[in-house]
Amino acid sequence: GFHGITEAIKSDAGAMTLYVTSTSGTPRPGPRVRDILAFAEKQHVPIQTVDTTFLRKIDPDNKGLILEVQETHSALPASLDEILEDLPETAMALVLDHIEDPQNFGAIIRSADAFGVSLVVVPSRRASPLTEAVVRASAGATAWVPIISVQNLNDSLKRLKAKGFWIYAADMAGNELGQIGLSPRTCFILGNEGAGVSRLLLDNADEVVSIPMSGHVESLNVSVSAALCMYEYRKKYPDQTGGKR
């Protein structure tokens, strides 16, 4: 995806090679492709011209460009504890309780970048992995938001609490989000598309919050709920980091 390629190059996520379709027998590259090629060249990213079949084998839906990223050890996300040690006093985190749809996962990450989330915690099993579909849905925001995969979400909540985070689980039975005072260090738990937040995580949250609704449907899409929670936090605590979190 164009956004994913551009943001990955900007973030300097590791050693990269940009593959572009040969123009022989194919239409001249469009302005988006030409802009990305110029940007990659400026950032000293190696560019290789390849046959169309080469790209199709990797991704049949490619748009004439594919970026290969060889992640170095330093480019990989730090551990949960390492990130928690380095956070400012005012910080927002998300715990995604087994989000299965890659579109929802990507949309949440896109909002997380927009609203200055410092950390997103996801389970290592029974949830959408960080795939190309997620990267596309995030418009490249996965290159900027620290995403930590853990085996035990409840253990992660304990670690967040030990670092001063107040844990808010999003559930229809909770108190109205706009009526509560959010903590400077806030963590929102967003639940699975069908089952919602698990009982164990609900029981271990400090507070359960809901988004007031007046329509006919029972609930919002989880990515919409996540964005509204993040927006409510940012209303009270504007981001002072200038995008550096």
Side-chain angles (χ1 to χ4, degrees):
F2 292 149
H3 288 296
I5 289 173
T6 302
E7 296 305 323
I9 293 173
K10 283 182 185 176
S11 70
D12 193 21
M16 303 175 187
T17 302
L18 183 62
Y19 296 100
V20 58
T21 302
S22 168
T23 54
S24 175
T26 61
R28 186 168 179 264
R32 292 288 300 280
V33 172
R34 293 198 300 271
D35 287 347
I36 291 173
L37 289 173
F39 180 56
E41 196 170 310
K42 183 179 177 182
Q43 299 301 116
H44 307 291
V45 173
I47 300 171
Q48 285 191 25
T49 302
V50 295
D51 187 81
T52 307
T53 355
F54 178 84
L55 296 188
R56 282 181 183 159
K57 285 180 181 177
I58 300 173
D59 179 8
D61 299 321
N62 76 84
K63 297 179 180 179
L65 286 174
I66 287 181
L67 182 69
E68 179 184 56
V69 182
Q70 308 257 338
E71 288 188 322
T72 62
H73 177 72
S74 60
L76 294 173
S79 70
L80 176 60
D81 289 333
E82 287 173 325
I83 290 181
L84 290 177
E85 283 295 330
D86 201 32
L87 291 182
E89 287 306 308
T90 301
M92 176 171 36
L94 302 180
V95 169
L96 305 187
D97 186 5
H98 298 90
I99 303 295
E100 297 175 341
D101 187 333
Q103 299 300 316
N104 284 336
F105 187 11
I108 291 171
I109 299 303
R110 183 173 184 172
S111 295
D113 178 60
F115 290 111
V117 168
S118 298
L119 169 66
V120 176
V121 181
V122 299
S124 57
R125 297 179 299 159
R126 295 183 293 110
S128 171
L130 189 57
T131 62
E132 170 62 13
V134 175
V135 175
R136 286 177 186 265
S138 78
T142 52
W144 298 105
V145 179
I147 303 170
I148 301 297
S149 177
V150 299
Q151 292 186 348
N152 189 314
L153 290 179
N154 194 51
D155 177 68
S156 297
L157 291 188
K158 293 176 183 177
R159 293 171 186 270
L160 284 158
K161 286 183 179 185
K163 292 298 180 181
F165 277 85
W166 196 260
I167 312 297
Y168 302 90
D171 185 86
M172 290 186 293
N175 299 316
E176 285 193 15
L177 180 62
Q179 303 301 316
I180 62 172
L182 294 172
S183 169
R185 282 196 164 188
T186 280
C187 172
F188 291 111
I189 308 175
L190 286 307
N192 171 272
E193 291 89 345
V197 179
S198 67
R199 174 50 56 187
L200 178 61
L201 296 190
L202 278 174
D203 289 345
N204 285 287
D206 296 304
E207 194 161 355
V208 180
V209 296
S210 66
I211 297 167
M213 298 174 56
S214 57
H216 298 88
V217 295
E218 290 184 357
S219 63
L220 294 168
N221 175 281
V222 64
S223 66
V224 176
S225 297
L228 290 171
C229 288
M230 290 182 258
Y231 172 73
E232 199 64 39
Y233 175 85
R234 276 292 162 231
K235 280 203 307 184
K236 184 171 184 180
Y237 303 103
D239 191 359
Q240 304 294 329
T241 66
K244 297 177 182 179
R245 294 178 289 277

